[in-house]
Amino acid sequence: MQIFLGIAGIAVVIFGLLDIFHTLLHPSGTGRLTRFVLAGIWRASRAMRHKAGSMVGPAAMVLVVLSWVGLQILGWALVYWPHIPAGFAYSPGIDPSKYHDLAEALYLSTVTLSTLGFGDVVPSDPFIRALTPLEALTGFGLLTAALTWFTQIYAPLSRRRALALKLRGLAVAGFADRMQVADVPTAALVLDAIAAEVAKVDVDFIQYTEGFYFREEDPDLSLAKQLGYAVQVRDVVLSSNEPCLRLAGEQLSAALDHLAATLGGKFLTTRGSTEDIFAAYAAEHGQNPAPGNNDNDPGL
C-alpha cells in the first residue's frame, strides 16, 4: 500500500508539473489540464451568452492555477500519507491521533508547498526529510510560474487589440473602397503592415492559447469582430491591376489563411473557408463579423 500510494502521488505531481511545462514553456502551449479547464469555463460562459464579459479569461486562468496547486498538494500528500504519524515528530501539545491520517497529510503538504514552515510537525523519516525540501521548491516555482503566466498574456492581448483597432480605423476611412485610387506604394506598405500584424497574432494564438478565451466587450477592440474587414481588403486588392498591390494582397491572404487554420485547428470545430472560420470565431465571442465600412454601426 505504501509503495502504491507513493507511486500514485509521484505520478500526480509529475502530471501537474508537465502541464505547467507544456502551458508555459512548450512552444505550442498545449497543457492538457489547462486546455480542459479553459475550454470548460469558456463553454459555460458561452452557454450563458457571455454574461461574465471580459472576466472569463482571467477567471479561467485563476482556476487553472488553483488546479495546479491542488494537484501538487494531493500528489505530495499521497506520498506522505503512509508515513503518518510514525515518520513525523510533533510539537508538544499536538496529538496526532486526533486527526485523520489523510487530513494530516493534506495539511502537511499544503504547509510545505506554501513554504509557511509552522514547525508544529516536522519529518523524522530520512526519506520524507529528503522530499519535503523538493516540495517547497516546487511551491516556490509554482508561485513564480503563476505570476509569469499572468503577466505574459497581456502583450499578446495588446497586439490583438491593436490589430483590431487598426482594421477598425481602415474600415472607417474606407480603405478598401479607396485603395484603387490611392498611392500604390503607400497602399502596399499598409497591406504589408497588416499582414505582419496578422502573422504576429497568429503566432500568439499558437504559443499563448489562453488568449483565445479572453473576450473583448468593446467591439472596436475585438479582433473576432474586425477580421471580416481584413478579408474584404484582401478580396479587393487581389483583383487589382497593380502587380505591387497584388503581391501585397497575396501576402495578406496567406497570413489570413494561416490564422484561420490556427483558429480552426486549435479552438473551433468549424472547417471550411477562411471566411467561414472567421465567422465562427466571431460567433464564439458573441460578435457579428464586420464585412465592411458602416459608419452608422458604432461597433462596425
Side-chain angles (χ1 to χ4, degrees), residues 45-277:
S45 174
R46 188 180 58 190
M48 295 185 295
R49 298 183 179 180
H50 293 300
K51 292 182 179 179
S54 59
M55 290 299 296
V56 177
M61 289 181 67
V62 169
L63 287 177
V64 169
V65 172
L66 292 178
S67 299
W68 291 342
V69 172
L71 283 176
Q72 295 305 306
I73 290 175
L74 176 61
W76 289 102
L78 291 176
V79 175
Y80 299 151
W81 189 7
H83 301 273
I84 292 176
F88 293 85
Y90 292 81
S91 299
I94 298 179
D95 182 3
S97 63
K98 293 182 178 180
Y99 309 99
H100 191 280
D101 288 352
L102 177 58
E104 187 71 1
L106 290 170
Y107 167 76
L108 288 168
S109 181
T110 303
V111 170
T112 304
L113 188 73
S114 59
T115 65
L116 291 176
F118 290 142
D120 52 345
V121 183
V122 295
S124 57
D125 183 286
F127 175 69
I128 300 301
R129 284 177 61 85
L131 287 182
T132 48
L134 294 179
E135 184 182 6
L137 288 174
T138 301
F140 179 78
L142 181 57
L143 174 62
T144 304
L147 293 176
T148 301
W149 195 34
F150 287 133
T151 56
Q152 75 178 13
I153 185 58
Y154 288 101
L157 290 179
S158 296
R159 286 189 287 268
R160 194 173 77 187
R161 291 164 180 163
L163 176 56
L165 280 176
K166 187 168 188 174
L167 292 174
R168 160 71 178 174
L170 291 175
V172 171
F175 179 73
D177 297 331
R178 299 162 62 183
M179 192 167 15
Q180 301 292 0
V181 296
D183 180 65
V184 172
T186 301
L189 287 175
V190 173
L191 293 169
D192 289 341
I194 297 174
E197 292 181 34
V198 169
K200 290 178 183 179
V201 170
D202 187 9
V203 173
D204 287 338
F205 277 123
I206 294 173
Q207 294 186 342
Y208 307 99
T209 55
E210 64 275 9
F212 177 85
Y213 303 101
F214 277 69
R215 179 178 179 272
E216 304 292 346
E217 293 185 85
D218 184 351
D220 291 351
L221 296 175
S222 175
L223 186 61
K225 173 78 173 178
Q226 305 299 336
L227 268 176
Y229 191 73
V231 173
Q232 180 180 342
V233 170
R234 177 205 67 184
D235 293 342
V236 170
V237 75
L238 287 178
S239 63
S240 172
N241 295 324
E242 294 288 344
C244 181
L245 287 181
R246 286 202 306 273
L247 176 60
E250 289 170 1
Q251 291 178 322
L252 176 60
S253 179
L256 291 173
D257 290 345
H258 198 279
L259 174 59
T262 299
L263 292 171
K266 293 179 71 72
F267 306 104
L268 305 171
T269 58
T270 302
R271 297 294 181 270
S273 66
T274 295
E275 293 87 340
D276 292 337
I277 293 175

